[in-house]
Amino acid sequence: MATKLLSLTCIRKERFSGRYPPVLRKHLNSRPRGGGDGSPSETAVLKIDEEEAVSDAVFRVTGMTCSACAGSIEKEIKRLPGIHEAVIDALNNRAQIQFYPTSVDVETIRETIEDAGFEASLIENEANERSRQVCRIRINGMTCTSCSSSIESVLQSLYGVQRAHVALAIEEAEVHYNPTLLSYDKLLEEIDNAGFEAILISTGEDVSKIDLKIDGEFTDEAMTMIERSLEALPGVQSVEISHGSDKISVLYKPDVTGPRNFIRVIESTVFGHSGHIKATVFSEGGVGRESQKQEEIKQYYKSFLWSLVFTVPVFLTAMVFMYIPGIKHLLMFKVINMLTVGEIIRWVLATPVQFIIGWRFYVGSYKALRRGSANMDVLIALGTNAAYFYSLYTVLRAATSPDFKGVDFFETSAMLISFIILGKYLEIMAKGKTSQAIAKLMNLAPDTAILLTVDEEGNVTGEEEIDGRLIQKNDVIKIVPGAKVASDGYVIWGQSHVNESMITGEARPVAKRKGDTVIGGTLNENGVLHIKVTRVGSESALAQIVRLVESAQLAKAPVQKLADRISKFFVPLVIFLSFSTWLAWFLAGKLHWYPESWIPSSMDSFELALQFGISVMVIACPCALGLATPTAVMVGTGVGASQGVLIKGGQALERAHKVNCIVFDKTGTLTMGKPVVVKTKLLKNMVLREFYELVAATEVNSEHPLAKAIVEYAKKFRDDEENPTWPEARDFVSITGTGVRATVKGREIMVGNKSLMSGYKVTITADAEELLAEAEEMAQTGILVSIDNELTGVLAVSDPVKPSAREAISILKSMNIKSIMVTGDNWGTANSIAREVGIDSVIAEAKPEQKAEKIKELQAAGHVVAMVGDGVNDSPALVAADVGMAIGAGTDIAIEAADIVLMKSNLEDVITAIDLSRKTFSRIRLNYVWALGYNLMGIPIAAGVLFPSTRFRLPPWIAGAAMAASSVSVVCCSLLLKNYKRPKRLDSLAIREVQVERV
């Protein structure tokens, strides 16, 4: 089940996927039920079929000024019938609505928005998710939130782009677009035109990409032949050869072909034609972001060292040597008129720092101004240019005038650039540590694998060690004791125990034998296994978890909008304040509004005013604001992933920390989810083996835990077969919450609760009622079986409560969080389970839509509600809740609908998720307090507010150092989350649970 969860379902929930996932429609004919309620059919409950797909409409809304406007629109829209989800983006003036077209139409939604006092126009209406693709792009060159906001604006202005998220912290963009309207090449081109470097990571198509390196002697003709040969292979989408290099990139469908085929084609194509070459996997493949980050760190480190080479002498000649008598005399020696040796030295040394080492700031400023915005580079360029060119003016005047006396600020510009580059270097290093969780996950996959050669009869005929990236589907690989599992698959030979803690967080090794699934990246402990590979590359469980965590880090938390709004006017405001500061001090000096004794002996009033103006310009820092939320979210989601709690983005984190009410499903959530048949009572004379053969043949078509328990119990009467073949069930019908119905061997079989029997006019005898009541008193689920419309038997199924349930509920109470149990099971069983775990509020015999309605009632009463569930019939409630938490061993549909996935299926992880979200948002608040407080305090001090009373002023180079330190401090503050420890009570709880399970 764990592999099924990870490989099929650990994918990011799309709130606006255009319709329910295909996997949800696949389950429409299965029978999820609670055990004792009366629910209508699944299609009636979920309203999910081909005619009632969920449509997605995007509106442009004008007139919104703040989040309150967005909230009022969202409230009005959600009052309409048939609204599945609504997200209002006040920042980009967009409303994205997901709705059932049979209940409400686009025009009604538009009119509702206008009735709320805003203008609305339809941008696009996508009813089919096949017209949507998600493209991920790495973006180089961003320096602050102004850059990321401008790229978002560029992308969202393109026709066919539905959504675009740009994450400054990880320097990536995620773009939802319609491939029929524009290509990903157009997206890359627009980002390049905006002044940034764009590198495609993935296209959203079901394809994989691999880079191959060619070693040996080869000609252009040979490379052309290789390209044509590769393109001719089935499954190859495109081949890109980097001319002048030894790199070949192949885009292919992993279901059809694989990298070993490419290497074989390359080597056989060239061999004997123009020499011999060897093809291998390009060493940089799979770690592009990490290698690029390391390269960027090296560049900043090198730039900082070179800046020190020039800046330290400038600083010494300006600040230190002037106080050493012998050296001072040498530096003050006049070369031409009033031009001294010291000024020439500082000019010569500061110039390469300003225009060579600091060239990146000119480039960044040009790109920002070209697209009509201003960023951090603009402030740095203006501040350093003001200091440098004023100093240049004083040098030229000193060289041409016999009596000019002025002071240069070359040390200011040089030291500013040096400290800012140092700050960027430290910031990038710190930001790299925030994504260590992803790096650790990616490094779990082993570098090599042992590939087995098998004959038609399955006998091993040979083995060889290959690069782990060369594994293809249907390969048979050998896993020796102590080695990592190279890829997802299932055991075809051998038995062992596998440590899956690095993926699921479950500390205990899991027994594996023939037929069991294994997860790539897990550790084989004792015993040799032969594995048949089922998933490779981007399809693997490991890759999907990495993708989920990356997507979570891309998604913006609502609190991030504060920084986005501030960044729009921050830089222009700082420039205005800087100019105003200079002008105010300059006029005050000229008009003698302050005594001349305030002016340092080495300056005049103009130079003093210039220093204040430059200090204001360089101390202001929008970067710290932009990094406050994403760095904390990155660390928080990474820590969660390492503890088996997968959080799908900043929005889920922000909602989770506000939760004050949790609604629990019963089966599989509060209980073990592994029910067993404990009692069978036949009401008609027949052989028990024949009875269970008919029941199992019906139930085998359902995925509900109760159905699986019945089928498993029926196998006991067929112990001669490990996987018995059951008779064919015709006309199978699954009715959500009540049971199933089918025809087996010409007899009509119904298995379910009283509501199912009543609906088909099956008489429930007094004996049956007594047996059901007896089962309820013992917290068991009673299931009725009818054959040819006659009640034939009663089954009692028991699902024991999880050992950690009672203590988990107790801890939640201590956190002031209310717990409610809602289930489709009967009242007797529900009340018995609730008493056992300590829950006071119970709702039983609830249909799936009633679960969602209860969620909405709690929300209307002012609660922030989390729903914890695991079944298909929980998915409407998971979507309706403020935070949906899916138990990891649950169905894939529930996991797709959830905001948070609990990998270990332990209830204590509910507490971990909420506690971690609270700690993360506490850190975000601290980051904002620091970033905003720093600017609110630093700018006035730099402007000279303290100077009249204390004579304290902030030199520009110190202001620049403080600016650089602010970003580093925010990132380091977020990094403290890596030390997160879950509540101590949970550790003792986990120990007790392990002891109980061992018993």
Side-chain angles (χ1 to χ4, degrees):
M1 179 62 75
T3 302
K4 174 188 173 187
L5 157 71
L6 293 171
S7 60
L8 291 180
T9 67
C10 279
I11 57 177
R12 179 170 48 87
K13 178 181 73 176
E14 289 296 337
R15 286 283 186 183
F16 300 100
S17 59
R19 64 168 58 172
Y20 270 80
V23 68
L24 183 50
R25 296 196 297 276
K26 179 188 76 176
H27 282 72
L28 288 178
N29 291 324
S30 65
R31 179 187 71 91
R33 70 181 189 278
D37 60 34
S39 301
S41 67
E42 176 141 14
T43 49
V45 173
L46 297 180
K47 296 184 180 178
I48 303 165
D49 57 25
E50 290 301 322
E51 288 72 38
E52 293 179 319
V54 180
S55 290
D56 187 9
V58 183
F59 296 85
R60 179 173 288 107
V61 182
T62 55
M64 291 190 291
T65 58
C66 62
S67 57
C69 300
S72 64
I73 295 174
E74 184 176 354
K75 186 176 180 181
E76 292 299 321
I77 290 175
K78 286 187 174 179
R79 287 179 177 174
L80 293 173
I83 296 297
H84 180 63
E85 182 61 286
V87 171
I88 316 300
D89 185 355
L91 192 63
N92 297 296
N93 297 317
R94 286 193 176 198
Q96 196 152 8
I97 317 299
Q98 196 175 35
F99 63 98
Y100 296 104
T102 54
S103 302
V104 66
D105 58 21
V106 171
E107 186 60 24
T108 302
I109 298 173
R110 189 188 65 79
E111 289 175 357
T112 301
I113 297 174
E114 293 190 342
D115 290 342
F118 305 87
E119 293 184 13
S121 58
L122 181 67
I123 300 175
E124 56 200 352
N125 180 16
E126 299 294 339
N128 193 329
E129 71 177 351
R130 285 176 294 181
S131 63
R132 174 196 300 272
Q133 282 186 5
V134 183
C135 174
R136 287 181 55 235
I137 303 169
R138 183 178 298 117
I139 302 174
N140 297 329
M142 293 190 294
T143 57
C144 63
T145 50
S146 176
C147 300
S148 58
S149 297
S150 64
I151 296 174
E152 276 190 2
S153 300
V154 167
L155 291 173
Q156 289 180 339
S157 66
L158 295 175
Y159 180 66
V161 171
Q162 296 155 356
R163 270 187 297 165
H165 297 302
V166 179
L168 172 65
I170 61 175
E171 297 177 338
E172 286 185 13
E174 183 178 80
V175 186
H176 297 241
Y177 69 103
N178 189 333
T180 61
L181 300 178
L182 83 165
S183 67
Y184 58 80
D185 289 328
K186 178 66 174 175
L187 301 174
L188 300 177
E189 180 185 339
E190 290 298 321
I191 295 174
D192 287 333
N193 291 340
F196 301 91
E197 181 187 2
I199 303 170
L200 183 67
I201 298 175
S202 65
T203 64
E205 302 171 356
D206 186 20
V207 294
S208 296
K209 181 182 179 182
I210 191 165
D211 296 326
L212 300 174
K213 182 180 180 182
I214 309 298
D215 293 317
E217 297 181 3
F218 51 87
T219 62
D220 290 341
E221 180 186 356
M223 294 301 283
T224 303
M225 188 179 300
I226 289 173
E227 184 176 7
R228 290 174 180 172
S229 300
L230 289 174
E231 287 174 342
L233 288 175
V236 172
Q237 300 285 84
S238 67
V239 178
E240 182 181 337
I241 296 180
S242 302
H243 293 287
S245 72
D246 54 359
K247 181 180 174 183
I248 297 178
S249 300
V250 185
L251 209 64
Y252 65 98
K253 292 185 176 181
D255 283 335
V256 181
T257 187
R260 289 208 309 280
N261 295 340
F262 308 150
I263 291 176
R264 187 162 48 246
V265 167
I266 291 171
E267 294 181 350
S268 62
T269 299
V270 179
F271 183 74
H273 184 271
S274 58
H276 179 66
I277 65 172
K278 184 175 178 62
T280 55
V281 179
F282 201 74
S283 60
E284 198 179 53
V287 291
R289 182 205 292 177
E290 188 63 27
S291 61
Q292 182 192 355
K293 187 70 67 178
Q294 291 300 320
E295 184 62 30
E296 189 176 11
I297 290 173
K298 287 181 182 178
Q299 288 180 0
Y300 271 107
Y301 181 69
K302 191 181 296 183
S303 296
F304 175 65
L305 290 182
W306 276 110
S307 69
L308 284 183
V309 170
F310 294 102
T311 301
V312 169
V314 173
F315 173 78
L316 293 175
T317 58
M319 301 290 185
V320 179
F321 293 161
M322 298 303 293
Y323 300 96
I324 301 175
I327 301 178
K328 177 182 178 181
H329 178 74
L330 176 63
L331 293 176
M332 294 299 293
F333 178 77
K334 296 180 177 58
V335 180
I336 305 174
N337 289 329
M338 300 298 290
L339 181 62
T340 65
V341 171
E343 289 173 330
I344 294 175
I345 292 174
R346 289 192 290 274
W347 178 24
V348 170
L349 293 176
T351 299
V353 177
Q354 181 71 33
F355 297 108
I356 298 177
I357 298 172
W359 181 249
R360 67 180 76 234
F361 302 118
Y362 288 98
V363 174
S365 301
Y366 168 73
K367 291 178 178 178
L369 296 173
R370 191 182 68 177
R371 61 180 181 265
S373 63
N375 62 4
M376 196 66 224
D377 290 333
V378 174
L379 294 180
I380 296 169
L382 283 174
T384 56
N385 277 336
Y388 179 85
F389 284 105
Y390 175 76
S391 302
L392 182 60
Y393 162 77
T394 62
V395 167
L396 296 176
R397 280 293 307 275
T400 57
S401 172
D403 55 1
F404 175 79
K405 289 185 179 181
V407 178
D408 64 87
F409 300 132
F410 286 121
E411 80 284 351
T412 296
S413 66
M415 292 177 71
L416 259 176
I417 290 173
S418 297
F419 275 116
I420 289 167
I421 288 176
L422 173 62
K424 291 296 291 183
Y425 167 70
L426 296 175
E427 179 187 324
I428 291 170
M429 286 189 63
K431 280 165 62 178
K433 292 181 181 179
T434 63
S435 58
Q436 280 183 350
I438 290 180
K440 286 180 180 178
L441 284 171
M442 295 177 71
N443 290 333
L444 286 177
D447 296 329
T448 61
I450 301 175
L451 177 67
L452 298 179
T453 306
V454 295
D455 58 23
E456 294 180 357
E457 297 178 356
N459 299 316
V460 177
T461 59
E463 64 179 54
E464 66 172 317
E465 189 173 63
I466 63 170
D467 191 306
R469 291 165 291 184
L470 297 179
I471 297 173
Q472 299 177 187
K473 280 188 177 180
N474 298 319
D475 280 346
V476 177
I477 55 177
K478 177 181 177 182
I479 314 296
V480 298
K484 289 182 179 179
V485 178
S487 189
D488 294 0
Y490 62 91
V491 180
I492 61 173
W493 180 88
Q495 58 183 17
S496 181
H497 284 79
V498 176
N499 185 348
E500 298 180 345
S501 61
M502 61 288 296
I503 301 291
T504 65
E506 181 61 63
R508 288 156 293 173
V510 181
K512 300 292 181 182
R513 60 180 181 176
K514 185 178 179 180
D516 289 339
T517 54
V518 292
I519 308 169
T522 54
L523 184 66
N524 182 29
E525 293 201 340
N526 54 358
V528 178
L529 296 175
H530 291 180
I531 309 296
K532 186 159 188 177
V533 175
T534 55
R535 295 179 184 87
V536 295
S538 60
E539 291 184 340
S540 68
L542 197 58
Q544 290 182 359
I545 292 175
V546 169
R547 194 181 309 128
L548 186 148
V549 177
E550 287 179 335
S551 297
Q553 295 176 351
L554 272 166
K556 287 186 178 180
V559 71
Q560 175 68 18
K561 292 179 181 178
L562 171 65
D564 292 340
R565 284 196 293 268
I566 292 175
S567 69
K568 285 190 172 182
F569 58 82
F570 187 89
V571 174
L573 177 62
V574 168
I575 294 173
F576 171 77
L577 291 175
S578 176
F579 178 77
S580 301
T581 299
W582 169 80
L583 184 62
W585 279 101
F586 176 68
L587 292 177
K590 288 297 182 183
L591 299 175
H592 303 290
W593 288 351
Y594 61 81
E596 290 188 8
S597 60
W598 286 13
I599 304 174
S601 58
S602 60
M603 299 184 188
D604 58 22
S605 60
F606 174 84
E607 292 166 342
L608 179 63
L610 183 63
Q611 288 247 335
F612 282 127
I614 294 173
S615 294
V616 169
M617 188 171 295
V618 298
I619 199 172
C621 184
C623 299
L625 282 171
L627 294 170
T629 298
T631 53
V633 169
M634 283 178 69
V635 179
T637 52
V639 168
S642 67
Q643 301 212 11
V645 178
L646 297 182
I647 303 169
K648 299 182 181 179
Q651 189 170 7
L653 256 176
E654 182 163 350
R655 288 174 176 173
H657 93 281
K658 300 176 183 176
V659 166
N660 53 24
C661 177
I662 299 183
V663 177
F664 291 94
D665 176 49
K666 179 182 75 68
T667 305
T669 303
L670 292 172
T671 63
M672 297 295 291
K674 296 178 181 178
V676 291
V677 177
V678 294
K679 186 177 181 181
T680 306
K681 183 67 175 177
L682 296 180
L683 304 177
K684 300 289 181 183
N685 288 324
M686 68 182 302
V687 179
L688 198 59
R689 176 189 173 95
E690 181 187 354
F691 171 80
Y692 267 108
E693 184 176 53
L694 296 174
V695 173
T698 305
E699 292 283 34
V700 76
N701 297 288
S702 174
E703 289 195 1
H704 194 276
L706 297 181
K708 292 180 179 179
I710 293 172
V711 173
E712 195 63 32
Y713 186 75
K715 289 180 181 180
K716 294 181 179 180
F717 300 93
R718 300 279 297 272
D719 54 5
D720 56 319
E721 299 179 44
E722 185 177 340
N723 293 303
T725 302
W726 304 106
E728 182 183 1
R730 298 178 179 272
D731 304 321
F732 175 82
V733 178
S734 172
I735 305 171
T736 301
T738 61
V740 294
R741 181 169 165 264
T743 301
V744 182
K745 291 185 174 182
R747 308 180 75 175
E748 186 177 313
I749 312 297
M750 287 192 294
V751 187
N753 54 31
K754 289 193 291 186
S755 297
L756 178 67
M757 302 302 160
S758 301
Y760 286 92
K761 311 299 182 186
V762 176
T763 303
I764 302 175
T765 64
D767 288 344
E769 291 280 11
E770 187 177 328
L771 290 168
L772 290 175
E774 182 183 325
E776 289 178 10
E777 289 176 5
M778 300 177 67
Q780 297 169 355
T781 300
I783 297 176
L784 302 174
V785 179
S786 78
I787 300 177
D788 293 330
N789 271 24
E790 285 190 76
L791 195 62
T792 307
V794 179
L795 311 181
V797 180
S798 174
D799 188 7
V801 170
K802 288 181 178 178
S804 62
R806 184 172 186 85
E807 185 69 17
I809 299 300
S810 174
I811 295 174
L812 287 172
K813 285 181 180 178
S814 69
M815 296 170 68
N816 296 319
I817 297 176
K818 181 180 181 181
S819 297
I820 298 173
M821 187 178 81
V822 58
T823 177
D825 213 336
N826 58 73
W827 278 100
T829 303
N831 284 323
S832 178
I833 295 292
R835 284 194 300 271
E836 190 173 346
V837 300
I839 291 179
D840 301 323
S841 183
V842 181
I843 301 167
E845 298 182 6
K847 304 171 185 177
E849 79 276 14
Q850 289 174 333
K851 293 182 181 180
E853 287 300 322
K854 179 60 181 177
I855 298 288
K856 292 179 180 177
E857 288 175 16
L858 291 167
Q859 290 170 332
H863 292 290
V864 179
V865 184
M867 170 69 192
V868 185
D870 71 327
V872 175
N873 56 352
D874 294 325
S875 55
L878 287 169
V879 172
D882 296 290
V883 180
M885 296 188 188
I887 292 293
T891 63
D892 42 5
I893 299 166
I895 292 163
E896 286 190 19
D899 300 289
I900 298 174
V901 179
L902 309 178
M903 301 282 288
K904 289 180 285 189
S905 301
N906 293 337
L907 285 178
E908 55 259 34
D909 284 344
V910 174
I911 300 163
T912 300
I914 294 173
D915 185 63
L916 176 61
S917 68
R918 290 181 176 181
K919 294 285 197 309
T920 301
F921 265 80
S922 173
R923 192 66 58 186
I924 289 174
R925 291 192 194 100
L926 185 61
N927 285 347
Y928 273 119
V929 167
W930 169 253
L932 288 171
Y934 163 83
N935 283 291
L936 292 175
M937 292 179 62
I939 291 176
I941 293 173
V945 168
L946 301 179
F947 190 71
S949 58
T950 64
R951 301 296 183 274
F952 174 79
R953 64 184 178 87
L954 209 59
W957 62 273
I958 294 181
M963 181 272 289
S966 67
S967 296
V968 177
S969 61
V970 164
V971 177
C972 290
C973 185
S974 294
L975 281 173
L976 292 176
L977 272 173
K978 293 179 71 175
N979 300 321
Y980 169 79
K981 301 292 183 186
R982 64 182 192 162
K984 289 184 178 179
R985 290 179 64 183
L986 293 183
D987 295 328
S988 59
L989 178 61
I991 293 171
R992 286 202 300 273
E993 183 172 288
V994 171
Q995 292 171 342
V996 169
E997 289 190 7
R998 284 177 177 172
V999 172

